[in-house]
Every structure is written in structure tokens, then in C-alpha cells.
């Protein structure tokens, strides 16, 4: 199987470190608002990846986090006059409901950031001891100049990183920093913010350290696949690499896999732009299978624009497939359906092995439907996580 590694930006052979085990970590949500189609695209893609790896015989350990303490949550909690924990719990439950409705298999471990705070403190202590972390006025920073590979994943220059940092909630002008791109490992809690005791006073963790700590705690020092949306490459994943590799002295991630953004009305679908298509709204009108088909009809590395028209067209294709499968309910399946010599199976695995070419697989499903091959159709449909009614 070949997969595109964002680190190095090339297609490579997928060879996990300890087969048949595969370790996957995917950055999860910050629970302060509803799940939109962009979220669904990322998590449905990784759902298909984990299902396909299992189909190929791998034992998958998949961890996903919930960033349940964060500037956005605290801001929103104040806005709606709710306790930040209650707010996080509420939106986490809504997210899980949406994922279940879309037939997304839960990860092996779904972990809340606030459960791993002792581990984060332990890592930060080591980073300071190693001379790559420093404390100023109750804040602790990672000194990026001490990590020569900083910028390797995003392949960006200092001026580009400065712009992105501002755009993504960072503060290059923070006077406590030695260098504008240094990032927070620990931040002093302000006013009435929630806090945890630490050697640097009352505070809370920085965003990036959460994922490094949870990976270390649940999967180990090195993992096979680290995923997330493309917008997480810088600063989030770049910073995760710096702190994790400084902490362990080992290579952190073998394959970086990033899912493209979904566009709507000509722009990236984003909370800040207000152009969101909510999963719960789509589910009122369309089935989970139709939404999954829409998402998988795009390759995960190509940005695409959502339109209602396209969704309608997809809906009729899905209905055709469901009719063919449904009509074949009473057929007894040939026992050699999983036989490797089957051409249809070869075709399916060939396409999936090319960096998960789901758009071509779906076209093939339509061909199977039109040529009335329900058994094959059903099997592939199931592997891709579609519901069989
Ligand atoms: Zn993360």
C-alpha cells in the first residue's frame, strides 16, 4: 500500500514499525460548537483508513483527542454564561452523536486533554532540563531555534510562519518570548481562568503539548500515522514534532497524513467565516450513506466545494446501489467471496492501495451496480463503512 507522507511530500510505501500493529493518532475537536462538514470529512476519511487497514489484517490502535481546555472554549463559555466543562461535555456529546449517525467507528481511545495534564507537566520539565524550554513570568515556551528541523514539515519560511501564527491564534509579539516563533508549552492562567498547579505556578497547558502527551501516554514514543486537517500542519504539527523529538530523542511519526479543507461559497468552510454546513442539518434530509458517498467521492488530498446540487446527484447514485444490494437479500453468497483471486477484489484493493483512491472506488461501485453484481457491491460497501439496511 502506498500513502502520501506530508513530511517530505511524497508517495511512500506503507510499512508500519511493528506489523501487524498500526498506531494512529488523529487530532480531534475543540468542543465549543456544532460539527460541520469539514470535521466530518476528516473523521470519515480516517474511519475509512482504519477500516481498510483492519480489512488488510492490521491490528489498529487509533487514538483521537478532545481539546477540552482551550482559549476558544473559555471564550465561548463566558459568552453563553456556561461552565467551561459543561460546555465541553455538551459539544463532545453532540459530536459523538453526529459521528455515530455517520457510522464512524469510535477510536480505540477517545481522550480528553484534561486527563493527561500530569504527563504534560512531566514532559515540560524534561524539555526545560534539556535546555529547549524556558520560563518567563509563569509562561513556559519551547525555543524553536534549539530544534534545527523546525519548519521541515510545513516547508515554510519564518515570514510565512509569522503570518500563519497570527492567523491561528498565536502571538508573535508576546514580550515574554525570546524569539517570535517560540510556542507556549504552559501558560499562566489569567483572572478567573481554570488552572492546574505546576512548578511554574497556576496555569494550563499550551495547545500543542496536549497531543504530544496523549500520544506518549496512549501509543508510545513513536507512532505510525499522525493525522488531522491540513490547517494543523503549522503551527500545531510542526510544534508537536519539535517538542516530542526533543523529549524522546527519537523520530516521532512515520507517516503524516493530512486531509484537505472543504470549501463552501468559494471559501474554506470555517467557523470564523460563518459559512458552515452542519452535519445535523444534512442528516435531516439525506442518509448517512449519501453523506459518506459525497465525502469519499473526493480524494482526501484535493480541496473541493460543497454544493447542494452535487449532494442531490450523489443521493440518486446511492439509492441505486442500495436497491441492487437490497434486491439481492435472499441470494446465498458464494463462499469464495474473500478469495484473493477475485478480480473485483483485486481492483478494489489496487485502488485503495494507491493512497486511498476512494473516488475511483466509488466509480467502480456504480459500475458494479449497473452490471448487477450485488455480492461484490455489498462487500466493498461494507468495508468502506456504509450502512447496510
Ligand atoms: Zn493535535
Amino acid at each position: 500500500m502506498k500513502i502520501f507522507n506530508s513530511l517530505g511530500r511524497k508517495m511512500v510505501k506503507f510499512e508500519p514499525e511493528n506489523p501487524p500493529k498500526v498506531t494512529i493518532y488523529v487530532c480531534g475537536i475543540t468542543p465549543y460548537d456544532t460539527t460541520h462538514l469539514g470535521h466530518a470529512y476528516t473523521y470519515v476519511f480516517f474511519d475509512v483508513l482504519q477500516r481498510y487497514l483492519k480489512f488488510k489484517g492490521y491490528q489498529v490502535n487509533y487514538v483521537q483527542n478532545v481539546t477540552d481546555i482551550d482559549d476558544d472554549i473559555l471564550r465561548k463559555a463566558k459568552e453563553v454564561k456556561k461552565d467551561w466543562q459543561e460546555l465541553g461535555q455538551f459539544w463532545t456529546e453532540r459530536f459523538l452523536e453526529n459521528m455515530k449517525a455517520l457510522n464512524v467507528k469510535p477510536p480505540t481511545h477517545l481522550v480528553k486533554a484534561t486527563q493527561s495534564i500530569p504527563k504534560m507537566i512531566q514532559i515540560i520539565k524534561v524539555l526545560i532540563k534539556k535546555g529547549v524550554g524556558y520560563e518567563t513570568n509563569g509562561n513556559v515556551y519551547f525555543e524553536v531555534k534549539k530544534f534545527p528541523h523546525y519548519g521541515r514539515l510545513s516547508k515554510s519560511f519564518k515570514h510565512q510562519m509569522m503570518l500563519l501564527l497570527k492567523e491561528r491564534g498565536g502571538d508573535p509579539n508576546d514580550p515574554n518570548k525570546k524569539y517570535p516563533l517560540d510556542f507556549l508549552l504552559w501558560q499562566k492562567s489569567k483572572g478567573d481562568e481554570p488552572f492546574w498547579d505546576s512548578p511554574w505556578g497556576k496555569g494550563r497547558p499550551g495547545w500543542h503539548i496536549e497531543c504530544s502527551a496523549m500520544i506518549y501516554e496512549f501509543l508510545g514514543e513513536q507512532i505510525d500515522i499522525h493525522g488531522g486537517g491540513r490547517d494543523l500542519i503549522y503551527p500545531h504539527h510542526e510544534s508537536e514534532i519539535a517538542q516530542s523529538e526533543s523529549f524522546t530523542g527519537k523520530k516521532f511519526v512515520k507517516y503524516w497524513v493530512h486531509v484537505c479543507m472543504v470549501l463552501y461559497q468559494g471559501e474554506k468552510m470555517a467557523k470564523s467565516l460563518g459559512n458552515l454546513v452542519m452535519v445535523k442539518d444534512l442528516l435531516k434530509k439525506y442518509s448517512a450513506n449519501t453523506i459518506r458517498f459525497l465525502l469519499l467521492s473526493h480524494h482526501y488530498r484535493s480541496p473541493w466545494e460543497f454544493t447542494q446540487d452535487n449532494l442531490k446527484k450523489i443521493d440518486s447514485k446511492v439509492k441505486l446501489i442500495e436497491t441492487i444490494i437490497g434486491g439481492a437479500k435472499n441470494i446465498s453468497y458464494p463462499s469464495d467471496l474473500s478469495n484473493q483471486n477475485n478480480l473485483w477484489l483485486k481492483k478494489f484493493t489496487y485502488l485503495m492501495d494507491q493512497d486511498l483512491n476512494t473516488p475511483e472506488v466509488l466509480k467502480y461501485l456504480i459500475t458494479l451496480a449497473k452490471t448487477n453484481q450485488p455480492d461484490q457491491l455489498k462487500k466493498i460497501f461494507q468495508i468502506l463503512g456504509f450502512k447496510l439496511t
Side-chain angles (χ1 to χ4, degrees):
M1 174 175 163
K2 281 185 180 157
I3 196 157
F4 186 87
N5 192 350
S6 304
L7 185 65
R9 297 198 188 160
K10 58 173 181 236
M11 198 84 94
V12 288
K13 197 171 172 201
F14 179 66
E15 293 171 307
E17 209 50 47
N18 301 300
K21 290 186 178 143
V22 175
T23 45
I24 305 180
Y25 182 89
V26 177
C27 292
I29 55 151
T30 301
Y32 69 102
D33 220 326
T34 37
T35 312
H36 61 74
L37 201 64
H39 296 128
Y41 190 40
T42 299
Y43 301 117
V44 165
F45 169 74
F46 284 104
D47 181 52
V48 169
L49 176 64
Q50 85 153 321
R51 284 170 186 270
Y52 185 62
L53 290 173
K54 283 178 184 165
F55 162 75
K56 282 179 85 82
Y58 290 111
Q59 293 160 13
V60 179
N61 190 353
Y62 173 12
V63 175
Q64 197 181 308
N65 71 304
V66 175
T67 302
D68 61 339
I69 176 79
D70 173 271
D71 288 344
D72 288 325
I73 294 189
L74 298 178
R75 180 183 44 77
K76 183 79 187 266
K78 262 189 192 164
E79 256 173 52
V80 297
K81 297 189 174 65
K82 246 190 176 175
D83 173 68
W84 65 276
Q85 279 167 306
E86 255 176 63
L87 182 84
Q89 189 60 34
F90 176 82
W91 287 116
T92 303
E93 282 165 18
R94 297 295 85 72
F95 168 72
L96 294 176
E97 277 169 15
N98 283 324
M99 290 301 112
K100 196 176 171 201
L102 290 176
N103 208 28
V104 170
K105 258 194 185 144
T108 323
H109 304 280
L110 183 79
V111 204
K112 286 183 181 175
T114 51
Q115 292 170 336
S116 287
I117 289 183
K119 181 56 72 187
M120 297 175 208
I121 292 176
Q122 189 203 334
I123 296 174
I124 299 169
K125 273 189 193 166
V126 172
L127 293 175
I128 293 176
K129 219 180 202 172
K130 287 191 168 181
V132 294
Y134 63 91
E135 192 230 317
T136 323
N137 298 325
N139 284 346
V140 182
Y141 300 91
F142 184 94
E143 195 171 352
V144 300
K145 282 190 169 169
K146 297 271 175 77
F147 189 73
H149 303 312
Y150 201 76
R152 195 196 253 179
L153 178 70
S154 55
K155 281 195 175 168
S156 24
F157 297 106
K158 187 189 163 192
H159 67 277
Q160 292 166 316
M161 293 200 250
M162 294 271 274
L163 286 172
L164 281 172
L165 193 61
K166 264 191 214 162
E167 196 185 301
R168 293 171 182 173
D171 180 7
N173 303 318
D174 176 354
N176 290 322
K177 285 181 182 181
K178 285 189 189 172
Y179 180 68
L181 296 181
D182 289 352
F183 57 86
L184 274 167
L185 294 166
W186 187 262
Q187 51 192 324
K188 191 178 173 172
S189 70
K190 297 168 211 135
D192 55 354
E193 280 179 3
F195 62 82
W196 286 262
D197 287 316
S198 81
W200 320 284
K202 292 181 187 343
R204 58 188 172 96
W207 170 31
H208 318 308
I209 195 72
E210 295 180 359
C211 292
S212 285
M214 287 180 271
I215 288 172
Y216 187 71
E217 205 158 43
F218 289 87
L219 295 169
E221 292 179 334
Q222 294 171 291
I223 58 169
D224 294 311
I225 297 173
H226 192 317
R230 258 195 79 80
D231 55 343
L232 295 181
I233 294 179
Y234 181 80
H236 189 48
H237 292 162
E238 196 77 76
S239 304
E240 272 189 50
I241 296 176
Q243 65 203 8
S244 290
E245 295 195 354
S246 300
F247 174 61
T248 64
K250 292 176 186 164
K251 189 180 164 85
F252 175 42
V253 172
K254 207 160 177 188
Y255 307 100
W256 284 94
V257 177
H258 291 103
V259 178
C260 261
M261 305 289 104
V262 178
L263 308 172
Y264 185 46
Q265 296 165 338
E267 281 188 284
K268 171 193 154 183
M269 197 179 287
K271 224 160 274 176
S272 52
L273 297 170
N275 59 342
L276 301 180
V277 175
M278 303 304 185
V279 170
K280 68 169 173 37
D281 294 336
L282 292 182
L283 280 166
K284 282 177 197 159
K285 234 177 136 183
Y286 297 97
S287 71
N289 281 355
T290 295
I291 298 172
R292 185 173 279 253
F293 204 99
L294 169 78
L295 299 174
L296 298 181
S297 69
H298 303 278
H299 189 256
Y300 76 95
R301 286 192 292 112
S302 322
W304 55 283
E305 180 153 359
F306 170 80
T307 63
Q308 290 287 350
D309 262 8
N310 194 18
L311 189 58
K312 259 181 231 157
K313 277 181 204 150
I314 296 259
D315 196 41
S316 59
K317 288 180 185 175
V318 171
K319 279 177 180 146
L320 168 74
I321 292 175
E322 287 171 341
T323 311
I324 303 284
I325 291 176
K329 253 178 195 156
N330 301 321
I331 291 176
S332 59
Y333 291 106
S335 54
D336 65 341
L337 207 57
S338 60
N339 187 331
Q340 291 294 327
N341 293 325
N342 281 313
L343 273 176
W344 64 273
L345 194 63
K346 273 191 183 159
K347 168 121 188 175
F348 168 64
T349 51
Y350 171 80
L351 292 172
M352 288 298 278
D353 284 350
Q354 306 302 312
D355 197 27
L356 293 106
N357 193 346
T358 57
E360 286 302 317
V361 171
L362 298 191
K363 280 183 200 159
Y364 183 52
L365 284 181
I366 302 295
T367 310
L368 290 174
K370 286 182 175 163
T371 50
N372 201 13
Q373 301 185 62
D375 309 337
Q376 293 84 340
L377 200 54
K378 187 175 175 181
K379 183 79 184 161
I380 298 176
F381 215 49
Q382 207 167 15
I383 298 167
L384 294 176
F386 289 96
K387 286 182 184 175
L388 294 173
T389 42

